[in-house]
Amino acid sequence: MTAGEIAAHLLGSCRSLKQFDAYMFGSTLRGIGEDVDILVVGSSGDALSQLKQELQAAGEFLPLHILYMLPSEERRTNFVTREKCVQLGLVMVAAEI
Amino acid sequence: MSWQVKRALAYIAEQPRLSAQHVAGELIRIEVEDQPDVFAVISAVNKVDAATATSYRQEHPEMDFLCGYRKTCVWPGDTIEYLQRANIGWGSAGTLTSAAFDGEANTASHKTYFFPDRLLRQYGRVKELSREYDRIYRVTLKTGTVLKIGMIADYEPNADAVRSLWDEFGPVDIVWNINPNGSPSLEAIEAGIELGCEVVIWEELKERLRTA
């Protein structure tokens, strides 16, 4: 699967993603890579537990490596900018163009 | 061909001096310049239990290395013991390619945990070490104190990493951030306090072991 296909698959399979900011980063954006790096930013709690279950099911045939961050952790580390993370929605749209 | 074998072959094809072919099922053969070929099973399981490892070995007796392709793959301690006794290397895809380069596929262990394992085993105040999982140890000190230690390899472990470790492996006394350049986030340390464990780096762990 390409990065765009993976993004579309995750967005289509995981309804709870709407409650979070989700990004792709790392080697999958540039080619095949060892695994698929995903960043999820949002609060902990029941919604996150639900999302983890959905992502586990969606990743049955994918080597997903998912990093979950609280918004404060993302702000402090500036992770999105530093790692050149791209929103899943944009990854999907870019692949469709 | 399974998805993880396809991805592993594609990943290996990106590595200089390595090539790989599918052999059968989840078994691939890796060819390396100036090193012996490596027969590796590429598994997609989330946890490689001993029964799974035994089954792979029965199916592919030529196996040199068992690769848990998912980054989140967990290796119980009895699986690790079984594979090491059988002279089969184990670990991630990155561990596999490094081991193939070095001609050490049969003795390699997951490179994420290799040095932390050595640090604990060689630390003078440790009397006994029981590896419950690749990242979970029960450490008995010479003073008699027993500590359960969990490892997180992230560069900047966050609160979720600490909570997830606790949820998956049960209560620990100490969460050790094993990345040598790592620095746990404030939220990770706070999550540890809420749960009832310390989140530390090696220097802090040494001090804790020294005084426990």
Side-chain angles (χ1 to χ4, degrees), chain A residues 1 32-36 44 48 52 56 59-65 67-70 72-73 76-77 82, chain B residues 3 7 10-11 14 46 69-72 92-94 154-160 163-164 185-188:
Chain A
M1 290 173 92
I32 186 79
E34 182 183 345
D35 48 26
V36 180
S44 59
L48 182 60
K52 285 183 177 181
Q56 185 171 7
E60 186 179 358
F61 301 111
L62 287 171
L64 295 182
H65 182 222
L67 180 60
Y68 299 95
M69 279 189 164
L70 297 170
S72 60
E73 289 171 328
R76 183 174 303 117
T77 57
R82 201 184 67 200
Chain B
W3 68 269
R7 286 196 71 98
Y11 170 65
E14 291 179 335
N46 290 304
Y69 195 76
R70 294 183 193 274
K71 211 159 201 168
T72 49
S92 61
D154 300 351
Y155 177 62
E156 289 164 317
N158 55 34
D160 183 77
R163 291 197 186 98
S164 296
S185 73
L186 181 62
E187 288 85 348

Side-chain angles (χ1 to χ4, degrees), chain A residues 24-90:
Chain A
M24 187 179 290
F25 64 100
S27 56
T28 304
L29 290 171
R30 300 186 295 275
I32 186 79
E34 182 183 345
D35 48 26
V36 180
D37 289 308
I38 302 292
L39 169 68
V40 173
V41 180
S43 302
S44 59
D46 291 344
L48 182 60
S49 299
Q50 174 64 29
L51 177 62
K52 285 183 177 181
Q53 288 179 20
E54 292 173 5
L55 283 168
Q56 185 171 7
E60 186 179 358
F61 301 111
L62 287 171
L64 295 182
H65 182 222
I66 306 167
L67 180 60
Y68 299 95
M69 279 189 164
L70 297 170
S72 60
E73 289 171 328
E74 195 289 317
R75 281 194 299 274
R76 183 174 303 117
T77 57
N78 201 24
F79 194 91
V80 169
T81 303
R82 201 184 67 200
E83 296 298 325
K84 300 182 174 62
C85 302
V86 181
Q87 283 190 332
L88 279 189
L90 290 177

Side-chain angles (χ1 to χ4, degrees), chain B residues 71-141:
Chain B
K71 211 159 201 168
T72 49
C73 183
V74 171
W75 303 77
D78 58 350
T79 304
I80 295 168
E81 273 184 36
Y82 168 78
L83 291 169
Q84 289 176 336
R85 277 201 311 271
N87 200 32
I88 296 168
W90 64 280
S92 61
T95 308
L96 170 59
T97 52
S98 299
F101 275 127
D102 296 337
E104 297 174 348
N106 296 91
T107 55
S109 63
H110 202 311
K111 65 180 186 179
T112 298
Y113 304 106
F114 178 78
F115 282 111
D117 178 85
R118 177 170 288 184
L119 281 174
L120 279 183
R121 289 185 192 283
Q122 295 183 350
Y123 191 63
R125 294 178 187 272
V126 172
K127 179 184 174 191
E128 196 178 320
L129 208 59
S130 169
R131 192 171 196 176
E132 298 184 356
Y133 289 91
D134 47 7
R135 70 208 70 183
I136 304 289
Y137 288 76
R138 189 172 296 276
V139 179
T140 306
L141 300 173

Side-chain angles (χ1 to χ4, degrees), chain B residues 188-199:
Chain B
I189 294 168
E190 287 172 350
I193 292 169
E194 282 174 24
L195 292 167
C197 64
E198 298 171 60
V199 181

Side-chain angles (χ1 to χ4, degrees), chain B residues 5 8 53 62 76 86 90 96 100 103 112 136 143 147 181 187 191 204 209:
Chain B
V5 171
E62 65 272 63
W90 64 280
L96 170 59
T112 298
I136 304 289
T143 58
L147 295 169
N181 302 309
E187 288 85 348
E204 295 162 330
L209 297 178

